[in-house]
Amino acid sequence: LAKTTQPISMDSYEGQEVNITCSHNNIATNDYITWYQQFPSQGPRFIIQGYKTKVTNEVASLFIPADRKSSTLSLPRVSLSDTAVYYCLVGENAGNMLTFGGGTRLMVKP
Amino acid sequence: EAGVAQSPRYKIIEKRQSVAFWCNPISGHATLYWYQQILGQGPKLLIQFQNNGVVDDSQLPKDRFSAERLKGVDSTLKIQPAKLEDSAVYLCASSSSGNPKDTQYFGPGTRLTVL
């Protein structure tokens, strides 16, 4: 079971770029890396997913080095509404088990 | 497209009572998940259904928790009897298939308080 490690919390200011790194040393060959965002009193929401190198969508970028033992979620020019908990998720193909870690609580200040 | 629906949104019960939660996944989604999220922690998978069959229930406390997904659509999660430590938000999610690559769509959750 691939375990993930993320910083517990991060602070940033509006307009800055935020990078959140997740460690997953035991990632398996077929695993994908997925990031979710969760606001208070809501269920998690998909942000981005990748397997290797770099993935970019309208919300974020995901950087994955060649060894895939870590990944970095990059949020460009954050706003107050980006204040949330961000979870890094590594998909286990065998057994189909998906494990959320503790998440990173991002606080964006004005 | 309608999202994942859950009810009730909030429930308060006393310990040793029973409680049931209901989930209606996104139409056509074959896979349904139930998660337990304790305050300050990430969601923990309790059970995964593929259509109406159980794929994984290894983290479901089977002495008190049960879940079913009749006809491969709606699902109910039951706790009987409830304990204080069951206080949490119970999240239901669905995806088009059981592949971890598929996006999971989460409902708003049911917040359970056990007194």
Side-chain angles (χ1 to χ4, degrees):
Chain A
L1 184 63
K3 180 180 170 59
T4 59
T5 303
Q6 305 174 232
I8 294 174
S9 64
M10 295 181 67
D11 288 344
S12 183
Y13 290 92
E14 282 189 295
Q16 289 188 332
E17 178 185 74
V18 171
N19 295 310
I20 306 174
T21 297
C22 177
S23 297
H24 27 78
N25 292 320
N26 297 324
I27 189 168
T29 302
N30 294 328
D31 287 346
Y32 282 79
I33 300 155
T34 311
W35 285 79
Y36 284 83
Q37 174 192 56
Q38 187 176 27
F39 297 113
S41 301
Q42 295 185 24
R45 184 180 73 169
F46 173 86
I47 301 177
I48 197 167
Q49 183 183 78
Y51 182 79
K52 61 180 179 180
T53 63
K54 176 183 175 183
V55 179
T56 297
N57 62 22
E58 64 278 5
V59 177
S61 294
L62 179 60
F63 299 92
I64 305 169
D67 65 5
R68 303 200 328 124
K69 293 186 176 183
S70 67
S71 58
T72 299
L73 174 72
S74 181
L75 304 172
R77 297 181 297 281
V78 294
S79 64
L80 296 177
S81 62
D82 292 317
T83 293
V85 179
Y86 292 82
Y87 294 98
C88 167
L89 201 66
V90 177
E92 278 254 343
N93 195 44
N96 261 344
M97 191 176 217
L98 302 175
T99 302
F100 284 79
T104 298
R105 188 172 302 273
L106 174 66
M107 174 67 73
V108 180
K109 302 175 182 178
Chain B
E1 178 183 79
V4 176
Q6 291 188 247
S7 67
R9 290 296 312 277
Y10 305 91
K11 189 74 177 178
I12 300 174
I13 61 172
E14 295 187 350
K15 59 183 179 183
R16 291 188 287 274
Q17 285 187 323
S18 301
V19 65
F21 313 126
W22 173 82
C23 173
N24 180 240
I26 292 174
S27 178
H29 278 192
T31 307
L32 185 147
Y33 309 82
W34 282 102
Y35 287 86
Q36 178 193 60
Q37 186 171 25
I38 294 172
L39 187 64
Q41 299 181 17
K44 183 182 94 172
L45 181 69
L46 293 176
I47 189 168
Q48 177 186 350
F49 290 95
Q50 182 76 12
N51 297 309
N52 61 349
V54 175
V55 174
D56 188 343
D57 62 357
S58 58
Q59 297 194 92
L60 187 72
K62 298 180 187 62
D63 58 333
R64 298 183 300 106
F65 286 64
S66 65
E68 60 182 7
R69 191 184 183 197
L70 300 177
K71 301 180 181 179
V73 182
D74 293 4
S75 176
T76 56
L77 176 70
K78 296 179 182 178
I79 307 175
Q80 180 180 9
K83 293 185 175 181
L84 297 177
E85 59 261 37
D86 298 332
S87 292
V89 175
Y90 290 84
L91 295 162
C92 179
S94 70
S95 67
S96 57
S97 78
N99 191 318
K101 188 176 183 295
D102 289 340
T103 299
Q104 292 186 77
Y105 296 87
F106 284 82
T110 296
R111 182 177 299 277
L112 173 67
T113 302
V114 182
L115 304 176

